[in-house]
Amino acid sequence: MFLWQQSRLYRERKQTSNARVLTTITSLALFICQCRAEGDGWRLFREEDAAGGRLRAETKESDQRDGVAFVRVHAKDIDVPVSTLTSTFLSPSLAHAWNPYMGSVRHLGANVQLQSYSLPWPFATREYLVHCTDEALRGGGHRSQCTPVASHPEAPMHSERVRGTSEALWKISPSTSDLSRRSDIFFEGAVDPGGALPKWLVNEIGKQASVNIVASLLKLAERRK
């Protein structure tokens, strides 16, 4: 009787062990499928609560950008009205409060800008020539996009500066959960400062800086609502 009980107990433990292994394999398969579903090379690197909503940040290396990574930040269902978030984003007087990395800007006409950023010694100043557009969206939202420009007669290259490339897309819209009181914000961008800066360092700084900028904007807008 005792041997029969031991044999039964062994079989039950083996079945339980097999079930746990199967569950683990299934969970892993679901996780892999989920990662592939997000797809297209995007990889989640940060997720956190933000202004009553949820912020997710992903990164993706670009083959066309010599290893420079794109960053995508999406904050959904933010507890801030879209009008407040948009006005905070567009206000020149508030820009440095939520974006400490902002440099100087020369407007060259036809929506072309020369953006300059001073770096600590011994690194040279970086500058970016971009074409920027702004568009009001339905429901009080806003869309802003800057794309690289190859050259401009009023912005010649200088030997003491390094010309990099930069692009960014911002989109603010009402949240579907509450069109009048909550909002969503989306950012996607990439910066290649050029020169001898290591790409892994550029990518790491760019990832964290992008998320911090979006999070700072949300915190400021939340205080102003």
Side-chain angles (χ1 to χ4, degrees):
M1 185 71 175
F2 178 71
L3 291 176
W4 177 84
Q5 288 177 333
Q6 279 190 321
S7 177
R8 180 181 178 183
L9 181 61
Y10 171 77
R11 290 196 303 270
E12 289 177 349
R13 287 179 176 175
K14 186 174 181 180
Q15 290 172 353
T16 302
S17 178
N18 290 340
R20 288 175 179 172
V21 170
L22 181 60
T23 301
T24 301
I25 294 174
T26 303
S27 300
L28 180 59
L30 289 173
F31 173 77
I32 293 173
C33 290
Q34 182 179 4
C35 292
R36 289 178 177 173
E38 294 177 354
D40 297 330
W42 290 99
R43 178 177 57 83
L44 180 69
F45 70 90
R46 187 166 160 184
E47 186 173 12
E48 60 194 51
D49 294 330
R54 193 68 177 166
L55 180 151
R56 286 174 55 90
E58 299 170 304
T59 185
K60 173 184 178 181
E61 287 193 7
S62 171
D63 296 334
Q64 290 75 34
R65 285 300 191 87
D66 191 25
V68 173
F70 276 82
V71 178
R72 185 164 66 186
V73 183
H74 199 174
K76 291 186 175 182
D77 202 26
I78 302 302
D79 188 17
V80 177
V82 68
S83 58
T84 303
L85 185 54
T86 298
S87 64
T88 304
F89 175 76
L90 293 176
S91 172
S93 63
L94 295 175
H96 285 281
W98 59 270
N99 186 359
Y101 307 99
M102 183 169 289
S104 62
V105 178
R106 270 184 62 202
H107 294 274
L108 306 178
N111 295 323
V112 176
Q113 302 177 6
L114 182 65
Q115 304 173 352
S116 300
Y117 300 83
S118 298
L119 298 181
W121 186 89
F123 301 108
T125 296
R126 259 56 180 182
E127 59 182 21
Y128 305 92
L129 192 62
V130 293
H131 177 267
C132 297
T133 58
D134 289 278
E135 175 187 0
L137 301 179
R138 183 179 300 179
H142 187 83
R143 184 180 187 273
S144 179
Q145 184 172 21
C146 291
T147 55
V149 174
S151 62
H152 192 280
E154 295 183 31
M157 303 283 284
H158 292 282
S159 58
E160 68 274 12
R161 297 186 171 204
V162 176
R163 179 74 56 89
T165 58
S166 171
E167 59 183 284
L169 169 66
W170 291 84
K171 184 178 178 182
I172 299 171
S173 56
S175 175
T176 55
S177 67
D178 191 330
L179 297 177
S180 62
R181 292 184 294 183
R182 305 184 79 88
S183 55
D184 297 340
I185 186 168
F186 175 84
F187 165 83
E188 184 176 316
V191 176
D192 183 357
L197 291 174
K199 292 298 187 289
W200 68 266
L201 179 61
V202 170
N203 290 340
E204 190 60 32
I205 293 175
K207 284 162 45 181
Q208 301 306 326
S210 297
V211 180
N212 292 340
I213 288 172
V214 175
S216 294
L217 172 60
L218 296 179
K219 289 178 182 178
L220 180 59
E222 187 178 31
R223 292 198 299 267
R224 298 181 66 240
K225 69 177 183 178

